[in-house]
Amino acid sequence: MGLSTDLPVLGDFDGDGKTDYAVWRPSDGTWYVILSSTGQHVSQAWGLSTDIPVPGDYDGDGKTDYAIWRPSSGTWYVIYSGTGQHVSQAFGLSTDIPVARDYDGDNKTDYAIWRPSTGTWWVIFSSTGKTASTPWGLSTDVPANKPTGE
């Protein structure tokens, strides 16, 4: 059973085209997933209590990867589902809001943040590795996909 402090996370962790039931538990930094293809319960320790879960398909294999963003250092930590490789990427400030999605259309999740202090979106495109910024929004705005529990 889940805890009241668990955070729901969205993703297709088994690659069957269906969203799996999943939560991230900040108290122990563990992901708990029920795979829709088999009903199997899986868990993965990945993250600290102060991290923000940012699941996505960072390696482009059609499966959601376990990923967290650490505001204290502005660093992203990802476990690629295709290889099990652990990768990290410094990107963002402690006051930023992670908004990881596929911004360049290559079927891979891009590292992205929204900076409330300037109303600017920053993205590292996975297809090119280049960084781009777009001013959009006021510092009083909140993106619609801001992670819950913050």
Side-chain angles (χ1 to χ4, degrees):
M1 298 299 272
L3 302 178
S4 64
T5 55
D6 289 350
L7 298 177
V9 290
L10 301 176
D12 178 8
F13 292 85
D14 55 6
D16 67 352
K18 299 176 185 176
T19 300
D20 302 309
Y21 296 107
V23 296
W24 183 71
R25 186 165 296 160
S27 62
D28 64 7
T30 301
W31 299 69
Y32 296 93
V33 180
I34 300 174
L35 301 176
S36 58
S37 61
T38 64
Q40 178 184 6
H41 293 216
V42 296
S43 63
Q44 174 67 54
W46 193 247
L48 304 175
S49 64
T50 54
D51 293 339
I52 297 172
V54 287
D57 186 3
Y58 293 84
D59 60 358
D61 68 349
K63 296 179 182 179
T64 299
D65 303 316
Y66 300 105
I68 55 96
W69 182 69
R70 187 160 295 155
S72 62
S73 64
T75 303
W76 301 69
Y77 296 94
V78 180
I79 300 176
Y80 287 157
S81 56
T83 63
Q85 179 184 3
H86 295 192
V87 296
S88 63
Q89 173 69 51
F91 188 63
L93 304 175
S94 64
T95 55
D96 292 341
I97 297 171
V99 289
R101 293 290 186 268
D102 181 5
Y103 291 91
D104 55 4
D106 67 350
N107 296 316
K108 293 181 181 179
T109 300
D110 302 311
Y111 301 107
I113 55 93
W114 184 71
R115 185 158 294 153
S117 62
T118 63
T120 303
W121 296 70
W122 291 89
V123 179
I124 299 177
F125 295 116
S126 56
S127 60
T128 63
K130 293 185 179 181
T131 302
S133 65
T134 301
W136 186 250
L138 303 174
S139 61
T140 57
D141 292 339
V142 176
N145 61 349
K146 180 179 178 186
T148 57
E150 291 185 19

